[in-house]
Amino acid sequence: MRKLLLIGLCITQTLFAQKTILHCGQLFDVRQLKMLPEMSVVIEGNKITTVDKGYTAGGPVDKVIDLTHETVLPGLIDCHTHLEDQLAPNAQIKQFTQNPADIAFNATVYARTTLLAGFTTVRDLGGTGVNISLRNAINKGVIIGPRIFTAGRMISSTGGHGDHTSGLRDDIMHNPEFNSGIANGVDECRAAVRLRYKEGSDLIKIAATGGVLSMEKDGAGAQYTEEEIRVIVQTAKDYGMKVTSHCHGVEGMKRSIRAGVTSIEHGTYMDAETMELMKQYGTYLVPTIIAGKSVADSATNKPGFFPPVIARKAMEVGPIIQNTFAKAYKAGVKIAFGTDGGVYAHGKNWMEFVYMSEAGMPVLECIRAATLNAADLIGNDQIGVIEKDKLADIVAIDGDPVKDVHAMGKMKFVMKNGVVYKNE
């Protein structure tokens, strides 16, 4: 009997011992765009139970974490990453030298780096399919990383931005293994979406225009008809998935917006008419300024880093993105934070805040773009805010980002789903 009582007491204590209390020097209210001084966040399991004014006292079995000298934010969300890879000289050679296991081992490092930089959720927008296994391994607790919503393989037309056989010799160019993400015409586009669903993708990414880091000569031309994009969007909707569209040129953007994609990635040559169309349809822009700056820098200052065809496009496209973002923001286009992580070194995602603020977006709006707006784009209302009954994705930085945006790079505390991964 005594043993049963002791067991019952232990169980009772365990049930009431799961509170973690964060004492926050200042807490960012993303809805009101306000910093709230001296706040407490109470967490049980993986959920926030209360957000209190002042410093809530903990009980004898509660864990109190002192963040009274930090700025506390919702876990950051990067809506455009590629966790399978990180750009390096002659990157095209990797597809002939890396096995899936090589990609996977590298991806675990990039995922961990991204999480510890404060990004508790990401969209992974295209890889080999290893990104799906990476998501699953993180969800199972096998490895450490952010919450991932992945597109699996990108869908592209023949010769398009997602066709990695461009520039190769004929026998390799037509190898089915290298062309698994290629779809032409409405029937193939419909089938490609269904295949992504079968493989386990969370969303669909298409290449509606040319790109920079591919061996095609044109980085901006439209590569899918509006009819093809409509079929992709409708099929994805049937399977409960959203569609995002890689676009540099205007025509590809307009076709994508009218067809119903939820976001435009990059948007480099966006004009005023396209901005109005995005506002009309409620389409998000994910700008990826840091990626543009990174590739332009490598092409300009590191001879031989890219093949000539890519170097030319990098110098043409890279410097434009920040100015386009500035115009889109001022025009009232919806903005969600995204960096193209992997085009630059993983973990430096925070520098996008610097470039966005340089372009005229107030820092607190930049942070909202990486929290509330990003969660809205993804379609998950449990993340992106610090509120009662939401998931406990919470980070803290050293300093006040309003006074110095570089504080976003001084990540001191990271909690994802109620688990603390960093507390310096």
Side-chain angles (χ1 to χ4, degrees), residues 123-144:
R123 287 196 310 176
D124 186 297
L125 295 187
T128 66
V130 166
N131 44 19
I132 294 174
S133 296
L134 180 70
R135 176 202 62 197
N136 295 344
I138 291 170
N139 289 346
K140 292 175 183 176
V142 175
I143 59 173
I144 292 172

Side-chain angles (χ1 to χ4, degrees), residues 59-130:
V61 294
D62 294 332
K63 182 178 182 180
V64 178
I65 297 177
D66 184 1
L67 300 174
T68 55
H69 298 290
E70 279 76 48
T71 298
V72 177
L73 313 167
L76 302 174
I77 304 169
D78 191 330
C79 289
H80 192 135
T81 66
H82 300 279
L83 291 178
E84 286 187 12
D85 199 12
Q86 186 165 286
L87 193 62
N90 300 311
Q92 290 70 31
I93 296 175
K94 289 182 180 180
Q95 64 181 315
F96 302 105
T97 60
Q98 286 190 330
N99 292 306
D102 299 316
I103 296 170
F105 280 121
N106 288 333
T108 65
V109 176
Y110 303 144
R112 181 186 179 93
T113 299
T114 300
L115 175 62
L116 297 184
F119 290 84
T120 55
T121 300
V122 302
R123 287 196 310 176
D124 186 297
L125 295 187
T128 66
V130 166

